Amino acid sequence: MEEALRARRSQRSYLPSPLALEEVAQLLWAAYGITKPPRYKTAPSAGATYPLAVYLVSGEVEGLEPGSYKYLPEAHALVMVRRGDLRPKLYEASLRQPWVLRAPASLVLGADFGRTTSVYGKRGIRYVWMEFGHASQNVYLQAVSLGLGTVAVAAFYDEEVKAVVGMEEDPGYVMPVGRARHNYSPEDLPWEGP
Ligand SMILES: Cc1cc2nc3c(=O)[nH]c(=O)nc-3n(C[C@H](O)[C@H](O)[C@H](O)COP(=O)(O)O)c2cc1C
């Protein structure tokens, strides 16, 4: 754990290599997988309301057709939502951040705020944003442990990301993932916006 925390960095350039299905599966599990059936997960959740949903936008994942998929934590399975390589559209929706186009895949984290606000009222909104942080940190640490790199992207057009992915929930983070490049790349400097 200490090694992963120390090595965690936002990575925006990746080797031109596809991801294995097992790697993607492990990242999805880290984000929001079941750890104690039937519903307790890797990330804590206010009142165990579990408002988040995790999607995968797959471009180059071995054994997985390009498209968007919803992760079903209970079954540890993916269901296809939209077919085709959606990375160019996700890139456009994400203010043309190049890492979104070039990464072999992106995780997209969304939330159904109503699941938490129906219990906690307005305060539930902050609880949901906190949960985005928990799940995305899990992805960062799991990525680093697998020799992969990711970056938490929050600068995007909400409605466009939603439409591209075909998700019902509101998006909070787009997390491109690729094989880590260990040499320095100027792209790994903090991105300050277009
Ligand atoms: C709420 C939030 C939004 C962010 N949005 C973006 C983004 O849109 N694009 C990007 O390249 N990095 C984004 N980042 C990553 C930060 O630039 C990065 O965490 C910061 O430069 C510190 O670097 P480190 O993660 O390597 O420690 C975001 C980070 C956070 C926490």
Side-chain angles (χ1 to χ4, degrees), residues 116-139:
T116 309
T117 56
S118 62
V119 179
Y120 296 106
K122 228 175 82 186
R123 200 170 181 84
I125 296 168
R126 82 156 73 178
Y127 292 166
V128 173
W129 290 119
M130 288 168 174
E131 294 191 26
F132 274 115
H134 297 305
S136 73
Q137 182 75 354
N138 288 352
V139 175

Side-chain angles (χ1 to χ4, degrees), residues 8-10 12 97 99 151-155 173 190-191:
R8 187 210 62 80
R9 197 87 285 138
S10 292
R12 300 179 182 82
Q97 297 187 54
W99 26 99
V151 52
V153 166
Y173 269 136
W191 185 75

Side-chain angles (χ1 to χ4, degrees), residues 1-2 7 81 90 123 190:
M1 180 52 76
E2 286 158 13
V81 180
L90 191 63
R123 200 170 181 84

Side-chain angles (χ1 to χ4, degrees), residues 87-101:
R87 290 177 299 173
K89 286 190 172 133
L90 191 63
Y91 157 76
E92 293 291 338
S94 308
L95 281 65
R96 299 192 176 177
Q97 297 187 54
W99 26 99
V100 176
L101 182 65

